[in-house]
Amino acid sequence: MVKSGKRKFVKKEKAKVHLKVSHKTLLPKGQNVTDTNFKVRKIVLHGQLKERGEHEILSKGNLNIKELLSRLNHHNMWQRQSGLEGLIDLVASYPPQTMAVHLSSFLEAASRLTLDCEADIRKLAVKLLSSILTAVDEKQIAPSFEIVIRYLACAMSHINSAVRETSLNVLDVLITKNPKLTAIHCQTVVLPGFLDLISSKLSDTTSRKLTVQINEHTTTSVWRLKVLNSLRSLLSAIVENTSFGSENSSDLNKTVNWKDSCRLHVPLYNPISLKAGPLDFNIFQKAEKNSSTTEIQNYTASLMPLLIDTFIEVAPSKRENKNNSEISLQTASILKCILDIILLLWKIFQNSDNPSEMMSWFSINHGPKICQTFISNGFPYITLNSGGRTPDKVKKHKTDTDVVLDLFGDSMVQSDIKCSKQNIDLCLIYFLLSKYKILPVPVKVISLYINNSLNSYKAIDHQSFVVLMHCLETVSDNNDLIKPKDSFDLNSVIEKLVNIHNEMVITDGRHRQEKTKLVFNFLCSITSKTHLKIAEEVEEFDSWLTLLPEFMCQRKVPYHLVKALSNVSRYNLPQFTKSLNMLKPALLNNVDIVADKKS
């Protein structure tokens, strides 16, 4: 079997055609030489050979506006990034008048890319938006600003948490660069979006519950802090830019210059009525007189429980020290935002159609809960030592302390360890609410802290001292807190303020420092409240009124001092009038050197 198989294989192999190669034969002459000749053909790229105009706007990459805008729609991330960088370069290099035609396209592209899935693209889009708002005038931005707001509302409700966080950065840019336009356009579109960022609606009800933020780099409390800080900034912009009469008060006084040789023309008309008013297409809102009031009430009713629950989650459960409660820097920052939001809502109520009705509604419905949450269980507060920032070499991601310091600055750690701003804000809120509602917290708790703050007034920063004076002004207007026996002792506070003013005058006789001005103006305003009879009951205040006209005998008298003393003289107080009559000769001799300029 084996031999027969081998025979067949050999026979088969012999049957094949074998090609024999002769090693003796060579290639013919001319065929064994390498041909080095080659042909050249030009490669023409039509895009690179376009002729540029002499005055055409080009980026550093030699691209015009149309090409840069087309790159923003490209699927490649690097193309979109180069397009954004080119537009940022154009905005910074050329005057805004040259790009006025493409302004709406720039804003639309920048706003759209804040929704991009790539973080670097969103960051560049925010930078481009900031550059445009910085370079272009508000009047040119106004027609296209609604586009930005619509994309912002989409970003706030985006499914991606990183895009929602970018929306807060966009809003901060809008508030910083164009607060007036932002305040006008964001009231109906953006404000409701803040509720959805930290809460969700319960089924079949109008109430809400807080939601948990699922993110690798940000905790839920830090996310809520960022949202509340942005909400506070927006409400502040709304209060500052939509208050009645605030924006035109500086235009009432005008200086008219003329020459004797020319005919005098004095404009005796009100220029405010000649200004173009904003277009308002919300016809249905005009038909309902109380629609705005109802809208504010509904928004406040949804927001206040969320603010209270947010603080309850981060506040200490038990008070270890009877005198105060220790809270973390993050909790102090959340408390600061919440109290600022409450005070801003109160200012909105004051500027509403029915201010007394709105403030009464708020005090009755939310006053007891505010006092129980923020005052009964922890007031006053102090901050724990946070240790400052984490070095960049040690940390991989920002800590909660780093986020707080980025939002509020290092001064939050250095100068507000005692939470003076938060505590004084709570005192002010208490006094505002107590005018319309009897609160469960006794006023002695607040009175004790006010007196302690006055004893250490040098350690209080300027902003907190302004709020402290506002507290005292609110108390002096509320007879229900002053008349009863177990009430706020205003007489002792006036006595302390007189001593503080006398101490301040030793080093600041001309009242140049802000604290001296605040104390002096408050004491002068007390003279208008003759029903309190402070001069009869407080001996120090009576002596202070007697010495008051002597400030007019200084070598230089500032304008605000003259104005305050003229208001005091209107009430014909015997102590002040008697001293003023005795100093008449000295005052008349001093008329020529009294400063006639506002300083």
Side-chain angles (χ1 to χ4, degrees), residues 219-222 225 314 328-335 400-401 404:
T219 61
T220 302
S221 57
V222 170
L225 174 60
V314 296
S328 64
L329 182 65
Q330 178 185 336
T331 305
S333 305
I334 292 177
L335 178 61
D400 293 351
T401 303
V404 172

Side-chain angles (χ1 to χ4, degrees), residues 582-595:
M582 293 175 62
L583 293 174
K584 269 185 180 179
L587 292 175
L588 293 175
N589 293 332
N590 200 37
V591 169
D592 295 336
I593 60 175
V594 169

Side-chain angles (χ1 to χ4, degrees), residues 20 28 48 61-62 83 98 245 296 348 375 381 411 465 476 495 511 599:
K20 295 183 179 180
Q48 293 184 358
N62 202 29
T98 58
I296 295 172
I348 293 175
I375 300 178
Y381 300 95
S411 59
F465 198 80
S476 63
E495 182 179 347
H511 296 73
S599 59

